[in-house]
mmCIF file of all heavy atoms in Angstrom:
data_model
loop_
_atom_site.group_PDB
_atom_site.id
_atom_site.type_symbol
_atom_site.label_atom_id
_atom_site.label_comp_id
_atom_site.label_asym_id
_atom_site.label_seq_id
_atom_site.Cartn_x
_atom_site.Cartn_y
_atom_site.Cartn_z
ATOM 1 N N ARG B 166 54.231 32.625 -61.135
ATOM 2 C CA ARG B 166 55.238 33.468 -60.578
ATOM 3 C C ARG B 166 55.063 34.934 -61.033
ATOM 4 O O ARG B 166 55.916 35.706 -60.825
ATOM 5 C CB ARG B 166 56.626 33.001 -61.126
ATOM 6 C CG ARG B 166 56.977 31.626 -60.612
ATOM 7 C CD ARG B 166 58.290 31.089 -61.229
ATOM 8 N NE ARG B 166 58.044 30.792 -62.696
ATOM 9 C CZ ARG B 166 58.941 30.144 -63.397
ATOM 10 N NH1 ARG B 166 60.170 29.820 -62.963
ATOM 11 N NH2 ARG B 166 58.763 29.881 -64.625
ATOM 12 N N PHE B 167 53.932 35.158 -61.620
ATOM 13 C CA PHE B 167 53.676 36.508 -62.162
ATOM 14 C C PHE B 167 52.990 37.350 -61.110
ATOM 15 O O PHE B 167 51.903 37.032 -60.662
ATOM 16 C CB PHE B 167 52.789 36.373 -63.375
ATOM 17 C CG PHE B 167 52.590 37.644 -64.091
ATOM 18 C CD1 PHE B 167 53.642 38.139 -64.967
ATOM 19 C CD2 PHE B 167 51.382 38.361 -64.044
ATOM 20 C CE1 PHE B 167 53.434 39.289 -65.655
ATOM 21 C CE2 PHE B 167 51.238 39.505 -64.746
ATOM 22 C CZ PHE B 167 52.206 40.009 -65.549
ATOM 23 N N VAL B 168 53.604 38.417 -60.725
ATOM 24 C CA VAL B 168 52.997 39.213 -59.668
ATOM 25 C C VAL B 168 52.606 40.685 -60.178
ATOM 26 O O VAL B 168 51.950 41.428 -59.457
ATOM 27 C CB VAL B 168 53.916 39.399 -58.446
ATOM 28 C CG1 VAL B 168 54.050 38.052 -57.732
ATOM 29 C CG2 VAL B 168 55.275 39.964 -58.879
ATOM 30 N N GLU B 169 53.016 40.946 -61.426
ATOM 31 C CA GLU B 169 52.782 42.260 -61.986
ATOM 32 C C GLU B 169 51.334 42.480 -62.384
ATOM 33 O O GLU B 169 50.543 41.551 -62.303
ATOM 34 C CB GLU B 169 53.657 42.507 -63.182
ATOM 35 C CG GLU B 169 55.184 42.586 -62.867
ATOM 36 C CD GLU B 169 55.865 41.220 -62.622
ATOM 37 O OE1 GLU B 169 55.145 40.148 -62.795
ATOM 38 O OE2 GLU B 169 57.029 41.217 -62.267
ATOM 39 N N GLU B 170 51.017 43.720 -62.719
ATOM 40 C CA GLU B 170 49.674 44.013 -63.235
ATOM 41 C C GLU B 170 49.322 43.281 -64.507
ATOM 42 O O GLU B 170 50.149 43.174 -65.374
ATOM 43 C CB GLU B 170 49.617 45.534 -63.617
ATOM 44 C CG GLU B 170 49.337 46.525 -62.543
ATOM 45 C CD GLU B 170 47.906 46.605 -62.197
ATOM 46 O OE1 GLU B 170 47.020 47.017 -63.042
ATOM 47 O OE2 GLU B 170 47.514 46.377 -60.964
ATOM 48 N N LYS B 171 48.199 42.773 -64.616
ATOM 49 C CA LYS B 171 47.791 42.098 -65.820
ATOM 50 C C LYS B 171 47.211 43.175 -66.808
ATOM 51 O O LYS B 171 46.751 44.263 -66.471
ATOM 52 C CB LYS B 171 46.635 41.124 -65.576
ATOM 53 C CG LYS B 171 47.134 40.026 -64.634
ATOM 54 C CD LYS B 171 46.293 38.772 -64.796
ATOM 55 C CE LYS B 171 46.860 37.668 -63.931
ATOM 56 N NZ LYS B 171 46.735 36.356 -64.490
ATOM 57 N N ARG B 172 47.327 42.851 -68.142
ATOM 58 C CA ARG B 172 46.803 43.725 -69.174
ATOM 59 C C ARG B 172 45.272 43.788 -69.020
ATOM 60 O O ARG B 172 44.646 42.754 -68.768
ATOM 61 C CB ARG B 172 47.148 43.156 -70.533
ATOM 62 C CG ARG B 172 46.781 43.958 -71.655
ATOM 63 C CD ARG B 172 47.222 43.254 -72.924
ATOM 64 N NE ARG B 172 46.585 41.888 -72.993
ATOM 65 C CZ ARG B 172 47.034 40.939 -73.766
ATOM 66 N NH1 ARG B 172 48.183 41.127 -74.515
ATOM 67 N NH2 ARG B 172 46.507 39.759 -73.768
ATOM 68 N N LYS B 173 44.741 44.951 -69.200
ATOM 69 C CA LYS B 173 43.261 45.005 -69.030
ATOM 70 C C LYS B 173 42.645 45.655 -70.241
ATOM 71 O O LYS B 173 43.235 46.553 -70.848
ATOM 72 C CB LYS B 173 42.881 45.894 -67.783
ATOM 73 C CG LYS B 173 43.258 45.178 -66.522
ATOM 74 C CD LYS B 173 42.821 45.981 -65.355
ATOM 75 C CE LYS B 173 41.494 45.509 -64.863
ATOM 76 N NZ LYS B 173 41.042 46.169 -63.611
ATOM 77 N N TYR B 174 41.466 45.174 -70.614
ATOM 78 C CA TYR B 174 40.686 45.759 -71.789
ATOM 79 C C TYR B 174 39.340 45.970 -71.216
ATOM 80 O O TYR B 174 38.879 45.161 -70.410
ATOM 81 C CB TYR B 174 40.650 44.803 -72.926
ATOM 82 C CG TYR B 174 41.954 44.599 -73.724
ATOM 83 C CD1 TYR B 174 42.537 43.382 -73.733
ATOM 84 C CD2 TYR B 174 42.491 45.682 -74.440
ATOM 85 C CE1 TYR B 174 43.657 43.188 -74.477
ATOM 86 C CE2 TYR B 174 43.630 45.511 -75.085
ATOM 87 C CZ TYR B 174 44.259 44.289 -75.147
ATOM 88 O OH TYR B 174 45.400 44.070 -75.882
ATOM 89 N N PRO B 175 38.588 46.902 -71.774
ATOM 90 C CA PRO B 175 37.220 46.952 -71.400
ATOM 91 C C PRO B 175 36.462 45.729 -71.959
ATOM 92 O O PRO B 175 36.808 45.291 -73.098
ATOM 93 C CB PRO B 175 36.682 48.192 -72.208
ATOM 94 C CG PRO B 175 37.902 48.900 -72.729
ATOM 95 C CD PRO B 175 39.010 47.943 -72.723
ATOM 96 N N THR B 176 35.575 45.212 -71.214
ATOM 97 C CA THR B 176 34.855 44.049 -71.663
ATOM 98 C C THR B 176 33.372 44.347 -71.473
ATOM 99 O O THR B 176 32.988 45.046 -70.627
ATOM 100 C CB THR B 176 35.202 42.787 -70.813
ATOM 101 O OG1 THR B 176 34.772 43.002 -69.473
ATOM 102 C CG2 THR B 176 36.650 42.522 -70.792
ATOM 103 N N PRO B 177 32.516 43.617 -72.208
ATOM 104 C CA PRO B 177 32.953 42.786 -73.449
ATOM 105 C C PRO B 177 32.878 43.687 -74.638
ATOM 106 O O PRO B 177 32.188 44.727 -74.649
ATOM 107 C CB PRO B 177 31.751 41.760 -73.492
ATOM 108 C CG PRO B 177 30.587 42.530 -72.898
ATOM 109 C CD PRO B 177 31.087 43.450 -71.881
ATOM 110 N N LEU B 178 33.555 43.288 -75.703
ATOM 111 C CA LEU B 178 33.483 43.965 -76.993
ATOM 112 C C LEU B 178 32.540 43.183 -77.832
ATOM 113 O O LEU B 178 32.587 41.922 -77.947
ATOM 114 C CB LEU B 178 34.857 43.947 -77.624
ATOM 115 C CG LEU B 178 35.008 44.379 -79.072
ATOM 116 C CD1 LEU B 178 34.906 45.932 -79.138
ATOM 117 C CD2 LEU B 178 36.286 43.963 -79.597
ATOM 118 N N ALA B 179 31.494 43.883 -78.425
ATOM 119 C CA ALA B 179 30.531 43.192 -79.260
ATOM 120 C C ALA B 179 31.135 42.849 -80.616
ATOM 121 O O ALA B 179 31.489 43.799 -81.392
ATOM 122 C CB ALA B 179 29.293 43.955 -79.375
ATOM 123 N N ILE B 180 31.238 41.595 -80.969
ATOM 124 C CA ILE B 180 31.693 41.212 -82.293
ATOM 125 C C ILE B 180 30.496 41.360 -83.284
ATOM 126 O O ILE B 180 30.619 41.771 -84.409
ATOM 127 C CB ILE B 180 32.175 39.755 -82.290
ATOM 128 C CG1 ILE B 180 33.435 39.602 -81.405
ATOM 129 C CG2 ILE B 180 32.508 39.258 -83.737
ATOM 130 C CD1 ILE B 180 34.685 40.254 -81.912
ATOM 131 N N SER B 181 29.369 40.946 -82.751
ATOM 132 C CA SER B 181 28.100 41.124 -83.466
ATOM 133 C C SER B 181 27.053 41.121 -82.349
ATOM 134 O O SER B 181 27.452 41.086 -81.175
ATOM 135 C CB SER B 181 27.785 39.951 -84.415
ATOM 136 O OG SER B 181 27.579 38.783 -83.644
ATOM 137 N N THR B 182 25.807 41.273 -82.704
ATOM 138 C CA THR B 182 24.837 41.289 -81.569
ATOM 139 C C THR B 182 24.780 39.942 -80.852
ATOM 140 O O THR B 182 24.425 39.948 -79.654
ATOM 141 C CB THR B 182 23.400 41.578 -82.098
ATOM 142 O OG1 THR B 182 23.199 40.730 -83.210
ATOM 143 C CG2 THR B 182 23.263 43.012 -82.529
ATOM 144 N N GLN B 183 25.268 38.890 -81.408
ATOM 145 C CA GLN B 183 25.183 37.612 -80.750
ATOM 146 C C GLN B 183 26.511 37.196 -80.127
ATOM 147 O O GLN B 183 26.458 36.319 -79.277
ATOM 148 C CB GLN B 183 24.795 36.442 -81.716
ATOM 149 C CG GLN B 183 23.719 36.757 -82.592
ATOM 150 C CD GLN B 183 24.096 36.506 -84.056
ATOM 151 O OE1 GLN B 183 25.333 36.424 -84.334
ATOM 152 N NE2 GLN B 183 23.129 36.415 -84.874
ATOM 153 N N VAL B 184 27.596 37.796 -80.531
ATOM 154 C CA VAL B 184 28.883 37.282 -80.050
ATOM 155 C C VAL B 184 29.630 38.426 -79.342
ATOM 156 O O VAL B 184 29.762 39.512 -79.884
ATOM 157 C CB VAL B 184 29.733 36.755 -81.243
ATOM 158 C CG1 VAL B 184 31.045 36.214 -80.751
ATOM 159 C CG2 VAL B 184 28.985 35.750 -82.029
ATOM 160 N N LEU B 185 30.033 38.144 -78.144
ATOM 161 C CA LEU B 185 30.779 39.098 -77.381
ATOM 162 C C LEU B 185 32.225 38.595 -77.108
ATOM 163 O O LEU B 185 32.440 37.392 -76.940
ATOM 164 C CB LEU B 185 30.120 39.305 -75.946
ATOM 165 C CG LEU B 185 28.633 39.775 -76.053
ATOM 166 C CD1 LEU B 185 28.032 39.836 -74.700
ATOM 167 C CD2 LEU B 185 28.504 41.129 -76.718
ATOM 168 N N LEU B 186 33.138 39.581 -77.093
ATOM 169 C CA LEU B 186 34.547 39.201 -76.891
ATOM 170 C C LEU B 186 35.092 39.779 -75.612
ATOM 171 O O LEU B 186 34.959 40.974 -75.424
ATOM 172 C CB LEU B 186 35.365 39.709 -78.138
ATOM 173 C CG LEU B 186 36.878 39.646 -78.032
ATOM 174 C CD1 LEU B 186 37.354 38.202 -77.989
ATOM 175 C CD2 LEU B 186 37.482 40.374 -79.255
ATOM 176 N N ASP B 187 35.754 38.955 -74.852
ATOM 177 C CA ASP B 187 36.472 39.411 -73.638
ATOM 178 C C ASP B 187 37.971 39.295 -74.005
ATOM 179 O O ASP B 187 38.498 38.167 -73.904
ATOM 180 C CB ASP B 187 36.172 38.556 -72.423
ATOM 181 C CG ASP B 187 34.768 38.827 -71.849
ATOM 182 O OD1 ASP B 187 33.877 38.197 -72.397
ATOM 183 O OD2 ASP B 187 34.584 39.668 -70.934
ATOM 184 N N ARG B 188 38.573 40.417 -74.395
ATOM 185 C CA ARG B 188 39.924 40.277 -74.904
ATOM 186 C C ARG B 188 40.959 39.759 -73.913
ATOM 187 O O ARG B 188 41.952 39.244 -74.214
ATOM 188 C CB ARG B 188 40.339 41.557 -75.554
ATOM 189 C CG ARG B 188 39.759 41.746 -76.925
ATOM 190 C CD ARG B 188 39.974 43.215 -77.362
ATOM 191 N NE ARG B 188 39.080 44.083 -76.574
ATOM 192 C CZ ARG B 188 39.043 45.383 -76.752
ATOM 193 N NH1 ARG B 188 39.797 45.934 -77.632
ATOM 194 N NH2 ARG B 188 38.186 46.159 -76.001
ATOM 195 N N GLU B 189 40.642 40.059 -72.634
ATOM 196 C CA GLU B 189 41.596 39.654 -71.586
ATOM 197 C C GLU B 189 41.767 38.113 -71.537
ATOM 198 O O GLU B 189 42.870 37.670 -71.186
ATOM 199 C CB GLU B 189 41.152 40.145 -70.291
ATOM 200 C CG GLU B 189 41.034 41.606 -70.174
ATOM 201 C CD GLU B 189 40.247 42.153 -68.918
ATOM 202 O OE1 GLU B 189 39.746 41.261 -68.190
ATOM 203 O OE2 GLU B 189 40.203 43.367 -68.725
#
Side-chain angles (χ1 to χ4, degrees):
Chain B
R166 295 174 290 186
F167 187 78
V168 291
E169 292 78 5
E170 275 280 299
K171 296 204 178 213
R172 184 181 56 201
K173 291 183 97 178
Y174 289 117
T176 65
L178 172 76
I180 298 288
S181 67
T182 46
Q183 312 126 344
V184 185
L185 301 175
L186 170 66
D187 288 84
R188 282 165 290 179
E189 297 168 356

